[in-house]
Amino acid sequence: MSAAGAARDPAFGETTGAGSGEAADALPAEAAGAAFDEAPSYRVRALPGIPEVRAGDDLAKLIASTGPGLVDGDVLLVTSKIVSKAEGRIVEAADREAAIDAETVRVVARRGALRIVENRQGLVMAAAGVDASNTPAGTVLLLPEDPDRSARAIRDGLRDALGVEVGVVVTDTFGRPWRSGLTDVAIGAAGVRVLDDLRGGTDTYGNPLGATVVATADELAAAGDLVKGKASGLPVAVVRGLGHVVAPADSPDSAGGARALVRDAADDMFRLGTSEAVREALTLRRTVREFADEPVDPGAVRRAVAAAVTAPAPHHTTPWRFVLLESEESRTRLLDAMREAWIADLRGDGKSEESIAKRVRRGDVLRRAPYLAVPCLVMDGSHTYGDERRDTAEREMFVVAAGAGIQNFLVALAGERLGSAWVSSTMFCRDVVREVLDLPESWDPLGAVAIGRAAVAPTARDARDPEAFITVR
Ligand SMILES: Cc1cc2nc3c(=O)[nH]c(=O)nc-3n(C[C@H](O)[C@H](O)[C@H](O)COP(=O)(O)O)c2cc1C
């Protein structure tokens, strides 16, 4: 973008007198060379002469004594490993896994022995950043406790020692989702505009930039890695020529540190690995009995039906049907008819009118829901054996398959951030339901599912120990 801008600058572009068409923009070699020399650029150099760092070392002093004259506006890229060593973050750990456990806040994904976790610093990375390389056997290196604080200490120390205003980025090496290969990123920063928010501006074509926030500190970290290398004993690099990314200590731009590069959970569309997401989706589904006064997206319900009908079923059948009650009128008609049927049952039980009125007055989860679905079982494709034992087993097989489909439905709704309550009432008045909803005789209602945004989050349930449900033979 900048180079293109320079080429169009009259000082370079308009004086060439070149021919027409595409060639009109081309510069003669000499002018092109001059334009190249003038184009935006920076230099990045590794800092030679940093000795093996030990616990208690003052990194700012080490850098100040070994570095070439640093100047205002330089940015130092400091490998986190030497920061950890200086801060004594080396621990005895014959068991690296235990050290990873201690640094882990939550597991994002796991495959075999590899764990991608969120660590105490909020960083999502392999093995919580616990490093067993470049450290004596039987020890592991933890990340700096607070890498932003570490960066500030180095920046302040260099100001004291050399009187220079520099930026400092503490870097570490990360893998990335979707991209092969590792790259350095900023885990700590001081005096650096870590993010360059271009939103509100326009590109060279005048298109508005609606989402462009550049991760400048990560770009600096990666630039430093190109000259530091991994095993060359060059843990610090200096970028010169990008003074505009350096922010004075008291400027609000430097306040956030590299913490500002950690995406908020609410904005993170990819918080979990696949198997972790499946597990979380399952536990996310809880019965919701109070709903917010918000309409339900019919598209979300259809996506949940699509998930429902992937459930296992006998003989390659598809025993699921879903009746969606999308209008208030249809819901009320069904619920009123079911109430009458219930009252008739209670009268049949010999209950007093007072007791019946009391029961019926009690809140009904289905009436409080902004959307209802009535899942039905169809026995299409079932076998008939002609004896009761096997015919009963056949029907039970279809019922459990129907239940599996409904569970899929509820889990998929939870994935759509929709709460649900699967209640049984339609099973107790199937003829009434079929009549009101005009369903074929062969459709068997299997309860009803109240659907809506949860008014309050369901209370947490203690994890159940699988062993209590298992018998091994
Ligand atoms: C077949 C079936 C029928 C149910 N019927 C009702 C019901 O009539 N009323 C109700 O409030 N909950 C009903 N539930 C929901 C259960 O009470 C609920 O699943 C249980 O308390 C466990 O809570 P959880 O769903 O949050 O895990 C029913 C659940 C199933 C599977």
Side-chain angles (χ1 to χ4, degrees):
M1 213 163 69
S2 310
R8 277 196 294 278
D9 189 312
F12 304 106
E14 306 300 329
T15 56
T16 64
S20 59
E22 278 184 31
D25 286 328
L27 297 172
E30 201 180 314
F36 184 70
D37 288 344
E38 298 288 322
S41 68
Y42 65 89
R43 268 170 294 153
V44 57
R45 289 229 166 103
L47 208 60
I50 303 276
E52 179 70 23
V53 173
R54 291 174 213 295
D57 281 351
D58 182 332
L59 281 183
K61 283 207 176 113
L62 276 185
I63 293 168
S65 63
T66 59
L70 294 174
V71 299
D72 286 347
D74 282 351
V75 180
L76 281 101
L77 296 323
V78 183
T79 304
S80 68
K81 205 177 285 283
I82 64 166
V83 178
S84 296
K85 285 184 176 172
E87 293 180 358
R89 297 278 288 159
I90 193 161
V91 294
E92 300 287 331
D95 183 2
R96 179 167 176 255
E97 295 307 309
I100 295 171
D101 287 346
E103 292 297 302
T104 295
V105 173
R106 84 188 163 92
V107 176
V108 172
R110 185 194 302 264
R111 189 166 290 182
L114 176 64
R115 273 189 282 169
I116 308 296
V117 304
E118 179 180 327
N119 67 11
R120 291 159 176 277
Q121 292 83 2
L123 301 166
V124 174
M125 58 193 305
V130 174
D131 197 348
S133 62
N134 290 314
T135 174
T139 65
V140 292
L141 210 49
L142 310 180
L143 286 180
E145 179 108 43
D146 179 348
D148 284 330
R149 189 179 63 205
S150 310
R152 282 196 299 275
I154 298 170
R155 190 259 327 256
D156 294 348
L158 287 168
R159 187 192 300 118
D160 291 347
L162 303 173
V164 288
E165 196 61 54
V166 297
V168 174
V169 175
V170 175
T171 67
D172 200 45
T173 307
F174 275 41
R176 301 153 301 161
W178 308 302
R179 310 281 300 167
S180 296
L182 307 173
T183 181
D184 268 22
V185 303
I187 64 165
V192 173
R193 295 189 167 90
V194 295
L195 291 166
D196 191 7
D197 191 346
L198 303 179
R199 289 173 298 182
T202 52
D203 67 13
T204 46
Y205 296 94
N207 302 310
L209 295 170
T212 309
V213 181
V214 176
T216 305
D218 281 346
E219 295 186 337
L220 289 163
D225 191 42
L226 288 171
V227 294
K228 286 190 294 184
K230 290 281 166 270
S232 45
L234 296 168
V236 181
V238 182
V239 161
R240 180 161 297 167
L242 296 178
H244 61 280
V245 306
V246 172
D250 52 0
S251 108
D253 279 340
S254 84
R259 266 271 162 188
L261 289 159
V262 175
R263 203 186 276 280
D264 281 344
D267 297 333
D268 187 354
M269 294 166 70
F270 308 99
R271 263 177 83 66
L272 289 167
T274 306
S275 51
E276 289 73 18
V278 169
R279 199 166 35 244
E280 182 165 305
L282 290 173
T283 52
L284 200 63
R285 183 222 60 81
R286 294 294 311 282
T287 297
V288 168
R289 296 187 174 85
E290 299 293 339
F291 298 97
D293 188 17
E294 266 177 53
V296 169
D297 170 14
V301 178
R302 280 160 179 76
R303 289 191 290 275
V305 171
V309 300
T310 65
H315 323 313
H316 306 286
T317 57
T318 51
W320 316 278
R321 301 290 183 272
F322 288 83
V323 185
L324 305 182
L325 304 186
E326 300 198 317
S327 72
E328 183 161 4
E329 188 265 323
S330 67
R331 292 190 291 273
T332 305
R333 201 148 45 86
L334 175 68
L335 296 178
D336 285 353
M338 282 168 54
R339 182 168 55 195
E340 289 314 307
W342 187 23
I343 289 171
D345 279 347
L346 292 170
R347 281 192 184 129
D349 292 342
K351 299 271 188 262
S352 71
E353 288 303 310
E354 191 189 343
S355 135
I356 292 172
K358 209 165 135 196
R359 277 167 192 256
V360 170
R361 258 202 317 275
R362 226 182 273 153
D364 180 347
V365 61
L366 296 181
R367 284 205 191 259
R368 293 195 293 271
Y371 196 108
L372 292 181
V374 179
C376 293
L377 163 72
V378 293
M379 296 284 290
D380 292 5
S382 65
H383 296 170
T384 303
Y385 296 92
D387 69 82
E388 199 189 332
R389 176 175 56 82
R390 284 185 294 169
D391 286 344
T392 304
E394 181 76 5
R395 183 176 163 80
E396 283 175 351
M397 212 159 60
F398 274 68
V399 171
V400 293
I406 298 168
Q407 164 74 355
N408 272 12
F409 182 61
L410 305 183
V411 169
L413 288 172
E416 299 278 352
R417 306 282 151 186
L418 285 169
S420 64
W422 180 13
V423 305
S424 52
S425 40
T426 67
M427 300 179 77
F428 288 83
C429 50
R430 298 176 197 203
D431 289 335
V432 172
V433 175
R434 274 191 285 263
E435 191 189 320
V436 175
L437 299 181
D438 193 21
L439 304 179
E441 191 60 29
S442 56
W443 287 30
D444 232 345
L446 291 181
V449 180
I451 301 169
R453 191 87 42 205
V456 284
T459 50
R461 180 165 59 199
D462 289 342
R464 290 173 177 162
D465 177 5
E467 294 304 325
F469 300 85
I470 293 171
T471 301
V472 178
R473 293 277 187 266

